[in-house]
Amino acid sequence: MSQEEQIVLKKEELSAVIQELLTKVGVPAADAAITADVMADTNARGVESHGVRWLDIYLQRIQAGGVSPVTKLDVVQDKPSLLILDANNGLGQVAMHRAVEMGAKKAKENGVAIVGLRNTNHFGACAYYTEMASKMGLVSFVCTNATPLMAPWGGIDLCIGTNPLSYGFPTKGTPIILDMATTAYARGKVFVAERKGEKIPEGVALDKNGAPTTDPKAALEGIMLPASGPKGFGLSLVIDLLCGIMTGAKYGTHITPIFGTIDKSQNIGHFAFFLDIEAFVPVEEYYNNIEDNIANMKKSRLAKGYDRIYMPGEIESGIREKNLKDGISIPKPTWDVLQEWKAKLA
Amino acid sequence: MSQEEQIVLKKEELSAVIQELLTKVGVPAADAAITADVMADTNARGVESHGVRWLDIYLQRIQAGGVSPVTKLDVVQDKPSLLILDANNGLGQVAMHRAVEMGAKKAKENGVAIVGLRNTNHFGACAYYTEMASKMGLVSFVCTNATPLMAPWGGIDLCIGTNPLSYGFPTKGTPIILDMATTAYARGKVFVAERKGEKIPEGVALDKNGAPTTDPKAALEGIMLPASGPKGFGLSLVIDLLCGIMTGAKYGTHITPIFGTIDKSQNIGHFAFFLDIEAFVPVEEYYNNIEDNIANMKKSRLAKGYDRIYMPGEIESGIREKNLKDGISIPKPTWDVLQEWKAKLA
């Protein structure tokens, strides 16, 4: 990998910059703090593709009127284990953060809760929200639809997002946090490769004419391929149906690109469930069994080229532990954009 | 593909044979009818790997005491939107079929329902149950854990099943039914390849020492690789945690092989959710939007080598339509085993 200049910041410093810029464009202080924590935590976990890199487009969209700086959540449906929320085109991070709190409350009261959100926006990495739920002792699932960047299986036109999903399971130690896009390769990483002047792997993208490419620029103008072919497409489609059609948000080709007409709302949707462990099994039994399961997997003989078995989310958790001590590296180009915003909004 | 002799039967004929054999080993008539319909329908959909091929081991297990011929469902937990059921080591098909009925009722009353089952057994193809829910106008998700046949990512020991999942969405026409194992390749297809003397694709299995193999026999003694590497492993793991640990069933390495000690119960688990569309969005809006979404995807330009875009489950639905008219082909070796059982149980 080619090296690029990095700015190293404490999480609090990074978070403060994000908060300041969001506040300047009209985001209430408490909401700016939530959004900043989601973004800075994502960078802290080493997931640069989904972190502060996105602040630029959020600020652009807020200024252009494409995203509302105020996230007002209307309750559209409220049953013992079901909430449908309308986020009124507010920030995805704020909407989903509150949805986790509301869903968690319902799950603790009624065993389980399903939460759908409509009229919301890009919320960063799904993992933040499932980890948040896992800290509350809940098992959770969170997914979102997004700008179309994949084709249906067998096609080459943009019809569906790289729709990611995340599952979270608390353990006695590091929670199990699966967070994956339904593409073979995260599109955020294609941006990073383009910025660094690197190639992307083979078999993960097609150019706009449907020909295979390893050039990040051509891939960004083309389509991302689904993980495991029709399986990844199928998963992306069901996420689109859950988050888009079932919540009453937009879906498929109706979602306008986030980097496109920035003065128009995207109206994407999120879908989540929360499970209160004690409604399912004795809590102690759950924790003992999940630790036993992890221990059994870690005892496996290793495959060639591997020196350790990691549970989903374990690598990111280790990176965060280190980064919270040593500081978070932000690529200089990303940092420069924040500085430009700082000057512009001064 | 090498040709093998096929026996062609009407669905009713196949179903009658299955029912007869199940009844002979003590399965109540109504339960035998359910199981037979699940199995025959799976063959009708062209999913030979998950159909009547499994009857032999079910019968062996029932006779040996490893599966109870009577499926008694105890309600362990009952909340407005949550059911935990203990299937008392009965047939997976019967347990899951009733769970769909019970979950559907709860979803229609309370908007959503989550159902967990413990102490149950192999239930065939997940798709049957999500399609059943879709016929009731519900969106659904069904998954199950199973005999360990995959390793954790980075390892080579059997720790986790090829745990499949299915999502079902009703439409005005053919429902969208995604049904996928979390392996790169369904293990059922490896059995079929072995029987036919064919190779399996590269990159889908390792032998028992962790070396890549295309020999189905070596693959059956070794491990299946997950779909899209760590993503497939992660999905399989979360299914194991939902179906095993959360329902109170067995999980991971504690699940004894279905073809192993046939006199011992497996105690696997299933996990499902059911969503009543009208609790989410106006029903007409849902159906119009899902048709619009399908139409948009089908308009995509085609990728090289593809002549049509199919929605998940559409190919199987077309095969079934043809087979219900022309008859279902059962490989002769599978048919011969049924005839042997018929003689033995006469």
Side-chain angles (χ1 to χ4, degrees):
Chain A
M1 284 225 277
S2 67
Q3 285 299 313
E4 57 180 0
E5 200 182 330
Q6 302 284 322
I7 308 298
V8 181
L9 296 160
K10 290 274 172 210
K11 186 187 168 197
E12 300 68 39
E13 293 171 318
L14 176 58
S15 189
V17 174
I18 301 168
Q19 274 188 71
E20 187 192 336
L21 295 176
L22 286 168
T23 312
K24 286 265 173 69
V25 295
V27 177
D31 292 2
I34 287 171
T35 312
D37 192 65
V38 176
M39 299 182 89
D41 182 72
T42 302
N43 281 91
R45 292 176 83 242
V47 188
E48 199 235 306
S49 55
H50 289 65
V52 69
R53 203 172 68 68
W54 287 89
L55 188 58
D56 179 41
I57 188 66
Y58 298 166
L59 295 169
Q60 285 185 46
R61 285 194 150 259
I62 290 172
Q63 284 207 322
V67 169
S68 167
V70 177
T71 307
K72 186 174 155 288
L73 282 188
D74 290 333
V75 176
V76 179
Q77 173 64 283
D78 188 352
K79 287 174 177 278
S81 290
L82 173 62
L83 264 181
I84 309 281
L85 305 168
D86 186 320
N88 287 293
N89 197 30
L91 286 162
Q93 284 83 350
V94 178
M96 193 65 223
H97 193 280
R98 289 201 206 141
V100 174
E101 287 170 344
M102 294 164 88
K105 187 164 175 287
K106 271 205 180 297
K108 292 198 174 183
E109 283 165 8
N110 305 303
V112 299
I114 288 180
V115 183
L117 293 98
R118 65 175 70 152
N119 207 359
T120 170
N121 285 292
H122 191 270
F123 67 22
C126 295
Y128 184 91
Y129 311 102
T130 51
E131 187 171 26
M132 181 180 165
S134 79
K135 284 179 193 155
M136 299 170 174
L138 297 166
V139 168
S140 64
F141 170 71
V142 170
C143 61
T144 184
N145 66 356
T147 303
L149 295 167
M150 288 208 291
W153 187 243
I156 58 169
D157 282 332
L158 300 180
C159 289
I160 194 161
T162 64
N163 303 339
L165 63 89
S166 179
Y167 281 93
F169 290 83
T171 73
K172 291 183 184 174
T174 307
I176 291 177
I177 305 290
L178 174 69
D179 185 4
M180 52 177 266
T182 45
T183 41
Y185 196 70
R187 192 164 185 260
K189 292 183 187 169
V190 184
F191 279 106
V192 174
E194 186 199 27
R195 205 187 56 221
K196 293 186 179 179
E198 293 170 358
K199 296 263 176 218
I200 57 171
E202 279 179 34
V204 305
L206 304 179
D207 69 19
K208 63 187 173 187
N209 300 313
T213 184
T214 58
D215 171 19
K217 194 165 177 305
L220 290 172
E221 289 164 359
I223 64 169
M224 297 304 296
L225 286 170
S228 202
K231 294 187 183 192
F233 162 61
L235 285 173
S236 180
L237 173 60
V238 299
I239 293 171
D240 194 37
L241 300 178
L242 291 172
C243 297
I245 293 180
M246 282 296 277
T247 72
K250 288 199 175 168
Y251 56 87
T253 53
H254 299 290
I255 301 173
T256 50
I258 189 166
F259 295 104
T261 45
I262 63 170
D263 59 334
K264 291 278 189 318
S265 77
Q266 283 204 293
N267 187 5
I268 62 167
H270 317 313
F271 178 90
F273 69 65
F274 304 94
L275 312 179
D276 187 26
I277 293 165
E278 69 178 32
F280 285 73
V281 285
V283 173
E284 201 185 322
E285 181 185 309
Y286 167 89
Y287 282 97
N288 288 340
N289 286 348
I290 204 161
E291 292 297 333
D292 170 65
N293 202 12
I294 294 169
N296 284 339
M297 286 185 278
K298 295 216 169 206
K299 274 189 294 205
S300 167
R301 289 173 298 158
L302 295 169
K304 274 199 193 84
Y306 291 82
D307 61 2
R308 219 187 123 174
I309 286 164
Y310 292 95
M311 292 298 106
E314 192 181 351
I315 291 175
E316 293 81 358
S317 177
I319 293 172
R320 176 169 58 197
E321 200 178 326
K322 187 180 176 300
N323 283 348
L324 291 183
K325 224 169 42 201
D326 301 345
I328 302 168
S329 294
I330 304 294
K332 190 160 182 304
T334 304
W335 184 247
D336 289 346
V337 172
L338 299 187
Q339 297 313 303
E340 284 162 27
W341 273 106
K342 213 167 166 174
K344 189 151 63 167
L345 299 172
Chain B
M1 282 224 281
S2 66
Q3 286 299 314
E4 57 180 358
E5 201 183 329
Q6 303 283 323
I7 308 297
V8 181
L9 297 160
K10 290 276 172 209
K11 188 188 167 197
E12 300 68 39
E13 293 171 318
L14 176 58
S15 191
V17 174
I18 301 169
Q19 274 188 70
E20 185 191 336
L21 294 176
L22 286 168
T23 311
K24 286 266 174 67
V25 296
V27 177
D31 292 2
I34 288 172
T35 310
D37 192 64
V38 176
M39 299 181 91
D41 182 71
T42 302
N43 280 91
R45 292 176 85 240
V47 187
E48 198 235 306
S49 56
H50 289 64
V52 67
R53 203 174 68 68
W54 287 89
L55 186 59
D56 179 41
I57 187 67
Y58 297 167
L59 294 170
Q60 284 185 45
R61 285 194 150 261
I62 290 173
Q63 283 207 322
V67 169
S68 167
V70 177
T71 306
K72 186 173 154 290
L73 282 187
D74 290 332
V75 176
V76 179
Q77 172 67 280
D78 188 352
K79 288 172 176 280
S81 290
L82 174 61
L83 264 181
I84 308 281
L85 304 170
D86 186 320
N88 287 293
N89 197 31
L91 285 162
Q93 282 85 348
V94 178
M96 193 64 222
H97 193 282
R98 289 201 205 141
V100 174
E101 287 170 345
M102 293 163 88
K105 187 165 174 287
K106 271 201 181 297
K108 292 198 174 183
E109 283 165 7
N110 305 301
V112 299
I114 288 180
V115 182
L117 293 96
R118 65 175 70 151
N119 205 0
T120 171
N121 286 292
H122 191 271
F123 67 21
C126 295
Y128 184 91
Y129 311 102
T130 52
E131 187 172 26
M132 180 179 165
S134 80
K135 285 178 194 155
M136 300 173 177
L138 297 166
V139 168
S140 64
F141 170 70
V142 170
C143 61
T144 184
N145 67 355
T147 302
L149 295 167
M150 287 209 292
W153 185 245
I156 57 169
D157 283 330
L158 300 179
C159 288
I160 194 161
T162 64
N163 302 339
L165 63 89
S166 179
Y167 282 93
F169 291 82
T171 73
K172 291 182 185 176
T174 306
I176 291 178
I177 305 288
L178 174 68
D179 184 5
M180 54 177 264
T182 46
T183 40
Y185 196 70
R187 193 163 184 263
K189 292 185 188 167
V190 184
F191 279 106
V192 175
E194 188 199 25
R195 205 187 54 221
K196 294 188 180 176
E198 292 170 357
K199 296 265 175 218
I200 58 171
E202 278 179 34
V204 305
L206 305 179
D207 69 18
K208 64 186 174 189
N209 300 313
T213 186
T214 58
D215 171 18
K217 193 166 178 302
L220 290 172
E221 289 163 0
I223 64 169
M224 298 304 296
L225 287 170
S228 203
K231 295 187 183 192
F233 163 61
L235 286 174
S236 179
L237 174 60
V238 300
I239 293 171
D240 193 38
L241 300 178
L242 290 173
C243 297
I245 292 179
M246 283 297 276
T247 71
K250 287 199 175 170
Y251 55 89
T253 54
H254 299 290
I255 301 174
T256 49
I258 190 167
F259 296 104
T261 45
I262 62 169
D263 59 334
K264 291 278 188 318
S265 77
Q266 282 202 295
N267 188 3
I268 62 168
H270 317 314
F271 178 91
F273 69 64
F274 304 94
L275 312 179
D276 187 26
I277 293 164
E278 70 178 32
F280 285 73
V281 285
V283 172
E284 202 184 322
E285 182 184 308
Y286 167 88
Y287 282 97
N288 288 339
N289 286 348
I290 203 160
E291 293 297 333
D292 171 65
N293 202 11
I294 294 169
N296 284 338
M297 286 185 278
K298 294 216 170 208
K299 276 189 293 205
S300 167
R301 288 173 299 157
L302 295 169
K304 273 198 194 85
Y306 291 81
D307 60 2
R308 220 188 123 173
I309 286 164
Y310 291 96
M311 292 298 107
E314 192 181 351
I315 292 175
E316 293 81 1
S317 179
I319 292 173
R320 177 170 54 198
E321 200 178 326
K322 187 181 175 300
N323 284 348
L324 290 183
K325 223 168 43 201
D326 302 345
I328 303 169
S329 295
I330 305 294
K332 189 157 182 304
T334 303
W335 184 246
D336 289 346
V337 172
L338 299 188
Q339 296 313 305
E340 284 162 28
W341 274 105
K342 212 166 163 175
K344 190 152 62 166
L345 298 173

